[in-house]
Amino acid sequence: MNAIAFGSINLDLVVGVPHLPQVGETVIGDKFFTALGGKAANQAVAMAKLGIPVHLVGRIGADDFGKQVLAGLEAAGVAINAITINENTHTGIASIVVDERGDNAIANAAGANNYLNLDDVQNLSSLLPQAKVLLIDLGIPLPVISAAVSAAKVANVTIIIDPAPAPKHFPPEIYPQIDILTPNEIEATQLVGFPVNDIQSVAKAALILREKGVQNVIITLGSQGCYCATPQDSFFIPAIAVTVVDTVAAGDAFNGALAAAIVSGKSFREAVQWGTVAGALSVTKSGAQSSLPDKESFFKLLVSQENY
């Protein structure tokens, strides 16, 4: 069995600065680089690096950025035959500013990601019979996401949704079809309508999301770890202490490894531990896909963790 990532594909333009700019402020940076990105693309590469066969379904523009993206994905081992080239717009672009602590701010020009439609759902549907997991982000039109979720449900594929960027109004009919929802604190706040910033509010938010119909909720809390709520119980898994260089794609590393563990037949708790390890490793390097861990470093850290 394999995995599918369905959603956004970008090229990242990254600037390193001493601190994140305030409104109206210009901050002089000391480095610039481009990196392959987009949440679905990142998550696909995260799975491929861990040895999981994965298809990516999405769109790019007919531009040099798109060619660069395709070459990078293919080199990483991601199947790219379900990626459509859109002649009428540019490849998605993310302009990312990263400060000395590794925190970041991102502005995104969605480009071809906005053009996903039912043709892309049809491409997805042709891949679902061989898939065990479908990972979806929200960087594409919501009606397309709804159709993709419905198709995956019929095919009995495990559906993981990374609700980023979180919309103001998430279609309520999608919640009961989600097997695993993985918001961070900001996305959880947007989904439930109150600040999610401590263990009490995290637990309350997870309960509300489960009451909306989600089977399993994982709220990621950055350096604090993650809180998980399932039909059976709830539990907290602490983060792994590392030196943070860049937090870009930490969530994608988490989700990709989570999905990889499920494809590999691991339990839910083991899958969350896989995500925690991948997220920790990703923040020790710069960039999005360039920071995603390879098998050797991943399994070395995984087996070193107590109680695994």
Side-chain angles (χ1 to χ4, degrees):
M1 301 297 283
N2 59 34
I4 305 170
F6 184 82
S8 60
I9 305 171
N10 293 328
L11 188 76
D12 295 342
L13 310 176
V14 186
V15 177
V17 294
H19 63 271
L20 298 182
Q22 301 178 30
V23 175
E25 179 186 13
T26 298
V27 178
I28 303 300
D30 60 356
K31 63 180 179 179
F32 169 78
F33 60 91
T34 63
L36 307 183
K39 297 196 74 63
N42 293 344
Q43 291 162 7
V45 170
M47 288 184 276
K49 283 192 169 185
L50 296 181
I52 302 300
V54 56
H55 286 81
L56 176 59
V57 183
R59 291 192 175 229
I60 57 172
D63 51 24
D64 288 340
F65 286 163
K67 294 175 184 177
Q68 187 175 340
V69 165
L70 283 183
L73 290 167
E74 194 166 27
V78 176
I80 60 173
N81 54 297
I83 296 175
T84 297
I85 298 175
N86 194 299
E87 301 287 344
N88 301 315
T89 188
H90 61 84
T91 297
I93 295 297
S95 180
I96 304 175
V97 182
V98 182
D99 71 13
E100 292 176 343
R101 298 183 304 174
D103 293 330
N104 65 78
I106 302 173
N108 177 249
N113 296 310
N114 277 339
Y115 286 78
L116 266 75
N117 57 40
L118 294 182
D119 290 340
D120 302 285
V121 178
Q122 186 60 45
N123 289 339
L124 168 68
S125 296
S126 68
L127 300 171
L128 287 172
Q130 290 77 43
K132 187 169 183 178
V133 174
L134 170 64
L135 240 173
I136 304 176
D137 72 272
L138 303 190
I140 57 176
L142 282 172
V144 177
I145 292 171
S146 182
V149 167
S150 296
K153 206 66 180 178
V154 171
N156 198 31
V157 171
T158 297
I159 299 166
I160 303 174
I161 289 189
D162 177 5
K168 290 183 178 179
H169 303 290
F170 189 70
E173 67 272 12
I174 294 180
Y175 282 115
Q177 301 183 78
I178 301 173
D179 295 296
I180 305 174
L181 185 70
T182 63
N184 62 23
E185 307 107 303
I186 295 172
E187 294 147 7
T189 294
Q190 292 169 313
L191 291 174
V192 301
F194 58 81
V196 177
N197 51 20
D198 55 32
I199 193 63
Q200 290 80 17
S201 58
V202 168
K204 181 180 178 182
L207 177 62
I208 289 173
L209 292 169
R210 288 214 64 249
E211 288 174 343
K212 291 178 181 289
V214 180
Q215 278 290 103
N216 303 279
V217 176
I218 304 170
I219 300 180
T220 57
L221 307 168
S223 62
Q224 300 177 70
C226 62
Y227 181 87
C228 306
T230 77
Q232 291 75 37
D233 62 358
S234 59
F235 56 93
F236 177 81
I237 291 185
I240 299 169
V242 294
T243 300
V244 177
V245 173
D246 180 356
T247 59
V248 170
D252 298 329
F254 182 98
N255 281 290
L258 176 81
I262 293 171
V263 173
S264 300
K266 302 300 180 182
S267 69
F268 179 78
R269 186 181 286 266
E270 288 173 320
V272 177
Q273 185 64 45
W274 277 42
T276 300
V277 168
L281 287 170
S282 75
V283 302
T284 64
K285 296 181 180 180
S286 295
Q289 292 173 24
S290 58
S291 73
L292 300 171
D294 57 44
K295 284 182 71 174
E296 182 178 0
S297 59
F298 173 81
F299 285 106
K300 182 178 179 180
L301 181 58
L302 181 66
V303 299
S304 73
Q305 298 304 297
E306 293 182 3
N307 301 320
Y308 179 75

